[in-house]
Amino acid sequence: MAQTNDPLLRVKSIRKRFNSVEAVKDISLVAYPGEILGLLGPNGAGKTTAIRMIMGIIQPDQGEIIFRANGRFGPLNRARIGYLPEERGLYADAKVLDTLIYFAELKGIASGEARRCALEWLDKLNLTDWARHKISKLSKGMAQKVQFVASILHKPDLVLFDEPFTGLDPVNQDLFQGFFRQLRDEGMAILLSSHQMNLVEALCDSIFLINKGEQVLYGDLSEIKEAHGESLIRLRCRGDCSFLQTSPLVKDLTFSENEVYFKLPQGVKPRQFLRTIPEDLAIEEITIKRPPLHDIFVSTVTRSN
Amino acid sequence: MKNNDLFKVAKWELRQNLMTKQFLVMTVVIPLMIGFFGGIPILIEYLTGDQIRQIAIVDESGFISAELARRLVDTPVQLLLSDIPPNELLLQVEAGDIDGVLFIGRKVLTTNFVHLHVRDIGMLVMNELQRELTSIITEQRLAQAGHDPVKIRELTAEVVMIPKLVGAEELGFAAIGVSIGVVVVLMIGTMLSGGMLLQSVIKEKDNRVVELVMSSVSSRDFMTGKILGHGATSLIQIAIWIAIGLPIASHYFDIPLDIVTWSQWIIYLIYFVLGYLLTATLYATMGAAMKDAQSGSQIQAIVGMLPAVPLFILSVIIASPDLLWVRIMGFIPPFTPGIMLLRMAVGRVLWWEIALSLILLVGFVYLLMRLAAKIFQTGMLMYGKSANLAEMWRWVKSA
């Protein structure tokens, strides 16, 4: 992970209210170059409002968003950010290449350069033959690829992908994952919002979980997993396993033939448990699984509610 | 950068509009429809008006045919005084040998009826015959009542009014007609492009492309760029209509090409641009506040109709351009462009009226665009329901 010490984006205590509803309450986060930060939250949590503020589409009522461009900190620079919104949409009657050039021009890229880069990306995505077709002629997956290109064509420093995998088949999901890693390795800061926890888990270096407009979880993904999850243990052994039934470090114990399944309560590290295993117990096989992000998400949100 | 974004959006809108079938259809079909339903019959009448029509007359009254023939000399109607039996004359009409037969009964002075049998005949010929017959029969009645028809004719001669503006050239009816035509074209152009803008805004909101655009440009630049792009489309469209329509009118109706002067064009253009900005801003705001094309509220429908009001009272403005309430309406910004343009087309408008109306209009458009940008910013990102006036006002206050 090619992090630098200076964050690319610093969101400081932003708030947003719509009439009587406070959609976002005092959230703060930072994004570093070469990092994929997962923005997670249940429906109606305030995620879209937070994303729109980060993207400069709406302004926060309080707090500030500081962006680093050309080595200096300042207000959000629209030309240096990219955005793939969850609400997909393109100009149906416009041609693919024209559309990409237009969006790149809006980001300050010269027409010729935009055309060259657009054709390069279309080639990577096997869409070269569609460059002069209308968007309305594309399949949903193809249109999604075009939108993806529109969001990164101008080589932004920071890009936000909101539900980028929705509607993609597994092959294209893998393709997009590869692109995301490539962009991260090139030093781009990526904010990834998705409900597909397996993909977030596979891609993100850190996560930010929002619920009811508030930050409920934020940090390095592996540290969060260690700190917030209940590790799943599968133990195959010979000997007396009865200590497990009385151990305070064990919960949800299940016996199945020669195997035992149980969880370590939240906050208990596997090493702590391993130290309590009697020496005369012959362990044939033991697997310790970190809890899936899905479980952490569900339990954290449930607790928060 | 800011203005740059605005013009990039405007350029994109213009380019997209020019490439649509809708633009082609609007630019070609509308003038054709106007020409077809309005101009072509007049043109045909005009072109065929000089054609000599041979009308045979069967005059049982004995006092009409000779006088009518005398009066129709040098007109497109040639009256045939004939002894041929009526049935044969009708056969000749049917065969196309002559254009018609006019039967005048013995008691025409009391019945007041004459019968004209024709296969087809123009309105000009009909009017000519009707006028002369009425005149002859009326004079005959006056003579029978003991009056001198010549004296009566002298005493009841119609007054011919030649309108003249003080300090201006004689106001020709052709000039008035062309000016009204140009003004109506400008107003129709405004309404059409405003409507196209409304559809475009609703479509972008509906397909969510707005999120992508507004992450790149400010909502104000986005809205203004769209308005300018559609305005440029409208100007091109109107220029095409006028460039084609004016020479045609000039050729067939013998109207000089410079009948609308350069100074008039400039004033027309200023009012058109301001009127368009006003209408387009209203429409863009409505589009942003609407869920979809079908869900506009009544208030939105009323707002949308405001710029068209001058067209509804077109006949009043033409008849009496200096009525007090018409002049006052000319200073109410949503009506200013239409009212002032129509008043200028048919009469003389004082310079201070133009200046004051323009100042009020510019100020109103400026304020409206500022308010609209705030509504646009929130409305474009709100999906699933249409906003009412109270909500829009809340957006303005909170933006």
Side-chain angles (χ1 to χ4, degrees):
Chain A
M1 193 168 67
Q3 285 190 6
T4 67
N5 288 333
D6 286 332
L8 190 70
L9 174 79
R10 191 184 288 278
V11 176
K12 284 184 177 174
S13 303
I14 55 170
R15 287 174 180 271
K16 187 72 184 178
R17 175 181 286 278
F18 296 109
N19 302 327
S20 59
V21 179
E22 193 165 21
V24 171
K25 307 165 190 170
D26 192 20
I27 65 168
S28 302
L29 59 86
V30 290
Y32 291 90
E35 178 194 33
I36 302 181
L37 169 63
L39 285 178
L40 312 177
N43 296 329
K47 201 162 38 118
T48 301
T49 304
I51 287 171
R52 283 176 173 173
M53 285 193 281
I54 293 170
M55 290 292 101
I57 297 173
I58 56 174
Q59 299 304 311
D61 298 334
Q62 285 178 37
E64 59 180 339
I65 295 168
I66 301 167
F67 186 76
R68 179 161 62 87
N70 304 321
R72 285 193 294 184
F73 290 98
L76 194 71
N77 183 342
R78 281 197 169 99
R80 300 304 312 144
I81 60 169
Y83 182 32
L84 175 67
E86 179 185 6
E87 306 285 1
R88 307 274 190 266
L90 288 169
Y91 295 100
D93 294 328
K95 291 177 181 167
V96 171
L97 186 58
D98 293 343
T99 303
L100 290 174
I101 293 170
Y102 172 55
F103 283 118
E105 281 183 330
L106 288 183
K107 296 291 188 184
I109 306 293
S111 173
E113 173 71 2
R115 176 181 294 273
R116 192 184 60 73
C117 292
L119 287 171
E120 260 177 34
W121 270 104
L122 290 175
D123 185 42
K124 279 187 200 177
L125 292 160
N126 293 324
L127 287 173
T128 306
D129 292 344
W130 294 88
R132 284 168 183 83
H133 283 74
K134 286 186 176 179
I135 298 281
S136 56
K137 302 285 179 197
L138 302 183
S139 70
K140 193 178 172 188
M142 286 195 281
Q144 195 151 333
K145 288 179 181 175
V146 172
Q147 281 186 313
F148 165 71
V149 176
S151 68
I152 48 95
L153 191 63
H154 56 294
K155 301 187 179 97
D157 297 325
L158 171 76
V159 63
L160 197 153
F161 298 121
D162 195 356
E163 295 293 351
F165 303 109
T166 309
L168 288 181
D169 61 46
V171 174
N172 280 310
Q173 284 187 5
D174 286 349
L175 185 72
F176 268 48
Q177 284 190 67
F179 286 138
F180 292 174
R181 290 194 180 98
Q182 181 195 329
L183 295 171
R184 177 191 61 189
D185 295 343
E186 287 170 3
M188 201 178 280
I190 298 174
L191 303 184
L192 173 65
S193 173
S194 175
H195 285 134
Q196 285 160 290
M197 291 300 147
N198 58 328
L199 296 174
V200 172
E201 202 163 358
L203 282 167
C204 289
D205 303 302
S206 50
I207 59 163
F208 182 97
L209 178 58
I210 181 172
N211 189 36
K212 295 182 173 174
E214 291 174 324
Q215 168 191 323
V216 287
L217 202 59
Y218 177 39
D220 183 87
L221 180 58
S222 54
E223 286 174 11
I224 284 174
K225 282 183 132 189
E226 197 166 315
H228 288 82
E230 297 171 327
S231 297
L232 300 170
I233 312 283
R234 183 174 67 88
L235 176 66
R236 179 190 282 268
C237 61
R238 276 182 291 109
D240 182 11
C241 291
S242 60
F243 77 98
L244 292 170
Q245 289 171 314
T246 54
S247 172
L249 304 184
V250 171
K251 64 182 279 195
D252 297 345
L253 186 64
T254 312
F255 289 92
S256 170
E257 294 183 3
N258 296 329
E259 292 184 345
V260 189
Y261 298 90
F262 55 92
K263 287 178 182 173
L264 300 183
Q266 191 168 312
V268 176
K269 295 186 175 172
R271 190 177 295 276
Q272 275 177 272
F273 168 73
L274 290 174
R275 285 197 203 106
T276 66
I277 297 177
E279 287 197 1
D280 57 342
L281 188 73
I283 298 174
E284 290 179 344
E285 194 179 332
I286 183 166
T287 56
I288 304 171
K289 274 179 73 179
R290 287 273 177 77
L293 185 57
H294 175 273
D295 290 2
I296 296 175
F297 180 97
V298 172
S299 63
T300 308
V301 169
T302 307
R303 239 189 352 264
S304 161
N305 285 338
Chain B
M1 184 70 191
K2 192 174 184 296
N3 288 339
N4 232 349
D5 289 345
L6 190 157
F7 288 116
K8 281 175 197 166
V9 175
K11 187 177 138 197
W12 170 261
E13 294 291 331
L14 174 63
R15 194 173 158 201
Q16 292 301 307
N17 285 342
L18 294 183
M19 289 196 300
T20 58
K21 283 180 192 150
Q22 195 183 359
F23 175 80
L24 193 67
V25 169
M26 294 283 218
T27 309
V28 175
V29 172
I30 284 184
L32 282 180
M33 278 174 63
I34 292 171
F36 185 77
F37 292 113
I40 296 296
I42 297 168
L43 191 64
I44 289 169
E45 182 73 36
Y46 182 82
L47 292 175
T48 57
D50 289 340
Q51 189 181 328
I52 300 295
R53 302 281 186 171
Q54 292 186 315
I55 308 288
I57 185 166
V58 178
D59 181 13
E60 293 176 352
S61 74
F63 68 90
I64 289 181
S65 54
E67 177 61 14
L68 187 60
R70 188 184 68 76
R71 293 191 185 194
L72 290 176
V73 172
D74 295 334
T75 72
V77 184
Q78 184 187 357
L79 208 60
L80 305 175
L81 307 175
S82 165
D83 295 330
I84 301 172
N87 286 346
E88 273 189 38
L89 287 172
L90 288 173
L91 288 173
Q92 284 185 21
V93 172
E94 209 172 319
D97 297 336
I98 57 174
D99 295 294
V101 185
L102 180 65
F103 290 104
I104 298 170
R106 201 155 40 84
K107 297 181 177 175
V108 67
L109 286 178
T110 50
T111 62
N112 228 18
F113 284 113
V114 298
H115 298 276
L116 180 65
H117 295 252
V118 287
R119 286 179 65 214
D120 66 271
I121 197 159
M123 285 303 292
L124 286 177
V125 174
M126 282 280 287
N127 290 343
E128 191 79 22
L129 280 172
Q130 172 105 26
R131 190 174 58 247
E132 297 303 344
L133 279 169
T134 303
S135 171
I136 293 167
I137 291 169
T138 306
E139 284 175 14
Q140 184 66 20
R141 286 185 187 135
L142 288 168
Q144 285 184 355
H147 302 291
D148 178 2
V150 179
K151 199 78 185 164
I152 296 282
R153 200 184 307 148
E154 282 173 12
L155 294 173
T156 58
E158 276 184 20
V159 175
V160 178
M161 187 169 72
I162 302 165
K164 279 193 175 184
L165 292 178
V166 177
E169 289 174 16
E170 184 176 310
L171 192 64
F173 288 105
I176 293 173
V178 170
S179 294
I180 291 173
V182 168
V183 168
V184 170
V185 164
L186 289 175
M187 293 180 71
I188 289 174
T190 301
M191 304 293 292
L192 286 178
S193 63
M196 277 178 75
L197 175 66
L198 175 71
Q199 293 303 322
S200 163
V201 168
I202 290 172
K203 203 193 269 183
E204 281 179 29
K205 187 179 166 178
D206 190 45
N207 71 17
R208 313 293 203 253
V209 75
V210 59
E211 300 241 359
L212 207 50
V213 179
M214 282 170 70
S215 71
S216 303
V217 301
S218 71
S219 57
R220 182 178 296 187
D221 283 353
F222 181 33
M223 186 189 82
T224 314
K226 283 189 77 67
I227 289 173
L228 291 185
H230 280 265
T233 310
S234 185
L235 269 179
I236 290 172
Q237 200 164 42
I238 289 168
I240 291 171
W241 289 344
I242 291 175
I244 295 170
L246 209 54
I248 290 175
S250 170
H251 181 261
Y252 287 108
F253 299 102
D254 200 22
I255 296 166
L257 272 175
D258 58 355
I259 196 157
V260 180
T261 64
W262 279 110
S263 58
Q264 274 177 298
W265 281 121
I266 290 167
I267 294 279
Y268 286 180
L269 191 65
I270 292 171
Y271 276 113
F272 167 75
V273 169
L274 290 169
Y276 168 75
L277 287 177
L278 192 153
T279 307
T281 306
L282 283 176
Y283 281 23
T285 313
M286 280 193 304
M290 281 162 69
K291 178 185 158 203
D292 51 44
Q294 286 79 41
S295 65
S297 66
Q298 280 181 333
I299 187 71
Q300 285 161 338
I302 292 168
V303 169
M305 292 302 282
L306 279 181
V309 167
L311 283 179
F312 302 150
I313 53 169
L314 180 68
S315 56
V316 177
I317 300 172
I318 291 172
S320 311
D322 289 328
L323 276 178
L324 182 62
W325 65 267
V326 170
R327 292 174 71 182
I328 290 171
M329 272 184 81
F331 298 116
I332 301 172
F335 312 128
T336 299
I339 299 277
M340 295 304 279
L341 283 173
L342 286 170
R343 281 191 64 209
M344 280 190 285
V346 296
R348 186 171 169 76
V349 180
L350 300 174
W351 70 266
W352 67 264
E353 289 182 301
I354 295 174
L356 180 61
S357 70
L358 283 177
I359 289 168
L360 291 173
L361 188 56
V362 168
F364 184 80
V365 168
Y366 175 76
L367 283 177
L368 186 68
M369 288 185 86
R370 282 185 68 103
L371 289 180
K374 293 178 181 183
I375 296 172
F376 191 84
Q377 180 181 10
T378 309
M380 285 301 270
L381 297 170
M382 194 188 71
Y383 309 121
K385 67 172 210 155
S386 294
N388 56 32
L389 269 184
E391 275 173 298
M392 285 191 255
W393 181 241
R394 270 204 301 276
W395 297 349
V396 169
K397 284 197 294 184
S398 62

